[in-house]
Amino acid sequence: QVQLVESGGGSVQAGGSLRLSCVASGFDHSNHCMAWFRQVAGKKREGVAAFDPLGAPLYAESVEGRFTISKDDAKNSLFLQMDNLSPEDTALYYCAAQTVLLSRTGGLCSPGLPPILFGYWGHGTQVTVAS
């Protein structure tokens, strides 16, 4: 059974930091495109970070320079270090994975991919940043 479980969310003051974790089970995440998304109530879900086909991190423009994506293949885990948080970062953060193997998509992976292309989702972890 495939599961993605996020943790690490919380409430912080502007300028603070949080580190999100996502543990995947039921599949080998290294063979699938995985990404972090976030969603504010009433707004579209947006991609935040992912790794490109060569393993280089990709970020949404709004978080570039402040967020860092990393992974631990041995632990089937994905992380998102978030620094210098602002109230605009307040959202429910999701870990997501494509169901299709990277080998079948040409390795295409990006936070710019539409959420509909990701079939596995965690329940999300709330991040709230106070001004």
Side-chain angles (χ1 to χ4, degrees), residues 11-78:
S11 297
V12 296
Q13 294 291 318
S17 299
L18 285 171
R19 186 173 190 250
L20 306 184
S21 299
C22 171
V23 179
S25 60
F27 72 107
D28 183 353
H29 87 301
S30 64
N31 292 325
H32 295 256
C33 172
M34 292 192 67
W36 286 100
F37 286 81
R38 66 185 182 184
Q39 187 170 22
V40 176
K43 295 188 176 181
K44 291 183 179 180
R45 193 168 295 187
E46 64 169 343
V48 175
F51 288 102
D52 77 2
L54 297 180
L58 295 173
Y59 301 98
E61 187 176 341
S62 58
V63 306
E64 182 81 55
R66 300 186 299 119
F67 289 13
T68 304
I69 188 173
S70 62
K71 59 181 178 175
D72 184 335
D73 289 341
K75 296 182 178 180
N76 225 21
S77 296
L78 192 70

Side-chain angles (χ1 to χ4, degrees), residues 76-120:
N76 225 21
S77 296
L78 192 70
F79 306 97
L80 186 68
Q81 176 67 41
M82 306 184 296
D83 297 318
N84 194 21
L85 286 160
S86 72
E88 289 70 32
D89 296 315
T90 295
L92 189 60
Y93 284 71
Y94 296 92
C95 173
Q98 288 193 320
T99 58
V100 180
L101 294 172
L102 279 170
S103 59
R104 300 191 63 179
T105 65
L108 179 62
C109 190
S110 162
L113 293 176
I116 196 172
L117 294 182
F118 292 78
Y120 300 141

